Amino acid sequence: MQELTYTEENYIKSIYTIQDRSGTGEASVNEIAERMQTRPATVTDMFKKLSEKSLIHYEKYKKVRLTEAGTKIALNILRKHRLWETFLCDKLNFSWDEVHEVAEQLEHIRSQKLIDKMDEFLGFPEYDPHGDPIPKHDGAMPASKSIPLSEMPENVPCIFVAVNDTSTAFLQQLKRFNLEIGAELTITERMPYDRSVWVTNKKGDSLQLSEKIAGNIYVV
Amino acid sequence: MQELTYTEENYIKSIYTIQDRSGTGEASVNEIAERMQTRPATVTDMFKKLSEKSLIHYEKYKKVRLTEAGTKIALNILRKHRLWETFLCDKLNFSWDEVHEVAEQLEHIRSQKLIDKMDEFLGFPEYDPHGDPIPKHDGAMPASKSIPLSEMPENVPCIFVAVNDTSTAFLQQLKRFNLEIGAELTITERMPYDRSVWVTNKKGDSLQLSEKIAGNIYVV
DNA sequence: GGGCTTAATTTGTCCAACCATATCATTATA
DNA sequence: TATAATGATATGGTTGGACAAATTAAGCCC
């Protein structure tokens, strides 16, 4: 197990996320640059370094893929991130839209013992406050059986279980709509022009969600 | 409130610690280099930078002292460090000798809300597991729990912080022994017959102190 | 295939934090 | 007071992570 810088860890995590939500299981220089708020040149440099350390499969001008070692690291960071989020919400009463940026820092703390004790302290949770599965110590991940709200058929009720974007902007928007994990939603109508959807909740309130929002709300 | 790097924060903390136990309230390049495990050249560079940011008083070839702003930052880091140590011991059942290096990482987490909530979660503790006082949110520090030198266990280094007798006779005796506030002392042996103690200082000098003297020297 | 667009890489620079070495100040001591 | 020892600084160099600008490769469309 090598010593990685925080920056390297963040790249690994971004690659994991991008390849996870791309059909092909790969990530491009531009996608990572976008996500890391940096320039493609920087990403190319980092790809070389990570490749040197055998954490990604990299060939010039091609997309990259995490190696097994890289994936293991990504899952470990994800585990820490989600356990910390759970801690912040469950024990310190943070609201679920406040935890992300603090967890972004805490996920880099290096101490096997700390994270194992934290897991125990929290009662070995399977899902974090956003509904995302928490990888186990060995990297095993509870199934996340959710799909984007935008892919739900019309008039089939579903439960809001996770978000696919943890930016403050997005979470605040949800707050404005009064949308929370656990809400029961039903798509009543699709607007073909901009792919937005009309949704009703259990109380019968109706609201219109853009394609972007509906694509980042995950439901079962 | 400026954004400091972790490294800068660590220097600030080291300066605080050194000047706190120095008698004169100052810290030298070499002392900091020793404590930070780095070279004097590096420390000089950093002193210039911190001086530029008005966090220390710095003049070439002289010792440094934290400014008010610098002290505030140091106390804030100390607060975070000691609260985290308390958390690790009280809530996660770490033993008191395991917590330090993890707290060294956690003390850099930037979130006012987190640390305030943590303080509350822990029941607003005044002292950390090592008995050191935890600075309050406003920088106020509970009195540090000093004890008479005579009550220190053997072979545990401590710092001479106060006297409990301000008579000239006592102070002159201290002078004769070359004992000053700030000295690092270690009891090497106890003489059961008269309860006097053998003490060594940092230079390795050894001296014998009567029960009366050792009882009026306060240490932490 | 040729040309165009987009994506990726190379090159050269910058800054923070480090170091070794050489030099300069301060101090302690003969 | 002169001089050696110690302490601090200056200089020049390295590395990691970032950037802009220029260049090259890949993919696509006719």
Side-chain angles (χ1 to χ4, degrees):
Chain A
M1 192 66 71
Q2 351 189 10
E3 276 294 289
L4 299 181
T5 64
Y6 286 10
T7 309
E8 287 170 329
E9 288 192 352
N10 283 329
Y11 274 90
I12 295 277
K13 197 176 57 146
S14 289
I15 294 168
Y16 180 88
T17 313
I18 295 290
Q19 77 179 23
D20 199 44
R21 68 176 60 158
S22 81
T24 65
E26 292 173 318
S28 72
V29 168
N30 273 355
E31 286 167 332
I32 299 301
E34 160 74 18
R35 201 178 162 78
M36 297 286 296
Q37 294 292 348
T38 184
R39 304 292 141 206
T42 315
V43 176
T44 298
D45 288 349
M46 184 55 78
F47 278 5
K48 283 184 197 153
K49 188 149 38 120
L50 294 177
S51 172
E52 200 62 40
K53 297 187 178 185
S54 300
L55 298 175
I56 60 174
H57 298 289
Y58 170 63
E59 285 172 81
K60 275 193 192 180
Y61 293 102
K62 297 201 172 165
K63 299 193 170 188
V64 302
R65 221 174 64 247
L66 289 173
T67 61
E68 214 166 305
T71 305
K72 211 172 140 193
I73 290 170
L75 287 170
N76 189 245
I77 301 169
L78 218 56
R79 169 174 164 78
K80 291 194 277 185
H81 183 99
R82 292 179 179 168
L83 281 172
W84 278 114
E85 285 195 339
T86 306
F87 169 72
L88 294 173
C89 285
D90 287 9
K91 302 294 180 182
L92 300 191
N93 299 114
F94 276 65
S95 71
W96 67 296
D97 56 330
E98 295 172 316
V99 297
H100 187 72
E101 56 177 326
V102 184
E104 287 276 301
Q105 299 179 58
L106 288 163
E107 72 192 0
H108 298 293
I109 301 295
R110 277 174 240 279
S111 167
Q112 191 55 56
K113 182 158 188 172
L114 171 59
I115 207 63
D116 289 346
K117 290 247 186 191
M118 183 61 83
D119 195 15
E120 183 188 346
F121 185 61
L122 298 172
F124 305 104
E126 296 232 302
Y127 297 94
D128 76 7
H130 299 117
D132 293 315
I134 299 172
K136 295 295 172 194
H137 181 271
D138 61 5
M141 178 105 92
S144 116
K145 53 262 166 179
S146 54
I147 61 166
L149 174 60
S150 52
E151 289 178 21
M152 282 296 291
E154 290 176 35
N155 297 314
V156 176
C158 56
I159 307 286
F160 181 7
V161 292
V163 294
N164 194 30
D165 175 353
T166 48
S167 71
T168 309
F170 178 62
L171 298 177
Q172 280 178 350
Q173 178 122 23
L174 291 185
K175 214 167 194 175
R176 273 270 282 294
F177 282 130
N178 235 343
L179 281 174
E180 288 182 353
I181 300 268
E184 185 181 316
L185 306 172
T186 309
I187 292 181
T188 52
E189 192 179 354
R190 285 194 144 77
M191 313 304 281
Y193 177 63
D194 64 358
R195 297 173 174 279
S196 66
V197 291
W198 281 97
V199 170
T200 57
N201 64 13
K202 226 172 173 179
K203 296 182 214 148
D205 305 331
S206 192
L207 29 116
Q208 187 177 19
L209 303 179
S210 68
E211 180 187 18
K212 186 165 180 185
I213 292 177
N216 281 309
I217 291 177
Y218 273 67
V219 297
V220 288
Chain B
M1 192 67 72
Q2 350 188 9
E3 276 293 288
L4 300 181
T5 64
Y6 286 10
T7 309
E8 286 169 330
E9 289 192 351
N10 283 329
Y11 274 90
I12 295 276
K13 198 177 56 148
S14 289
I15 295 168
Y16 180 88
T17 313
I18 295 290
Q19 78 178 25
D20 198 45
R21 66 175 58 160
S22 77
T24 65
E26 294 175 318
S28 72
V29 168
N30 273 356
E31 287 167 331
I32 300 301
E34 158 75 17
R35 202 179 161 75
M36 297 286 296
Q37 294 291 348
T38 183
R39 302 293 138 202
T42 313
V43 175
T44 298
D45 286 349
M46 184 56 79
F47 278 6
K48 284 184 198 155
K49 191 158 27 134
L50 294 177
S51 172
E52 200 63 39
K53 296 188 178 184
S54 299
L55 299 175
I56 60 175
H57 298 289
Y58 170 65
E59 286 173 82
K60 272 193 195 181
Y61 294 101
K62 296 202 172 166
K63 298 191 171 191
V64 301
R65 220 175 65 247
L66 288 173
T67 62
E68 214 165 306
T71 306
K72 211 171 139 196
I73 290 169
L75 286 170
N76 189 246
I77 301 169
L78 218 55
R79 169 174 164 79
K80 290 194 276 184
H81 183 97
R82 292 180 178 167
L83 281 173
W84 278 114
E85 285 194 338
T86 306
F87 169 73
L88 294 174
C89 286
D90 287 9
K91 301 295 182 184
L92 300 192
N93 299 115
F94 276 64
S95 70
W96 67 286
D97 57 329
E98 296 173 315
V99 296
H100 188 71
E101 59 176 325
V102 184
E104 287 276 300
Q105 298 178 59
L106 289 164
E107 72 192 1
H108 299 292
I109 300 296
R110 278 175 238 278
S111 167
Q112 191 57 54
K113 182 158 189 175
L114 170 59
I115 205 63
D116 290 345
K117 291 247 186 191
M118 182 63 83
D119 195 16
E120 184 188 345
F121 184 61
L122 297 172
F124 306 105
E126 296 231 301
Y127 298 96
D128 75 9
H130 300 116
D132 294 315
I134 299 171
K136 297 292 171 196
H137 181 269
D138 60 5
M141 177 104 93
S144 95
K145 283 199 263 190
S146 58
I147 58 169
L149 175 59
S150 52
E151 289 177 18
M152 280 297 291
E154 286 169 41
N155 297 314
V156 177
C158 56
I159 308 287
F160 180 5
V161 293
V163 294
N164 195 30
D165 175 353
T166 49
S167 72
T168 315
F170 178 62
L171 297 177
Q172 280 179 349
Q173 178 119 25
L174 291 185
K175 214 166 196 175
R176 274 269 283 293
F177 282 129
N178 231 345
L179 281 174
E180 291 181 348
I181 299 270
E184 185 180 316
L185 305 173
T186 310
I187 292 180
T188 52
E189 197 179 349
R190 286 195 143 76
M191 311 306 278
Y193 176 66
D194 64 353
R195 296 173 174 280
S196 68
V197 290
W198 281 96
V199 169
T200 58
N201 65 14
K202 226 174 174 178
K203 294 182 210 144
D205 305 331
S206 193
L207 29 115
Q208 188 176 19
L209 303 179
S210 69
E211 184 188 12
K212 186 165 182 186
I213 294 178
N216 281 307
I217 291 177
Y218 272 68
V219 297
V220 289

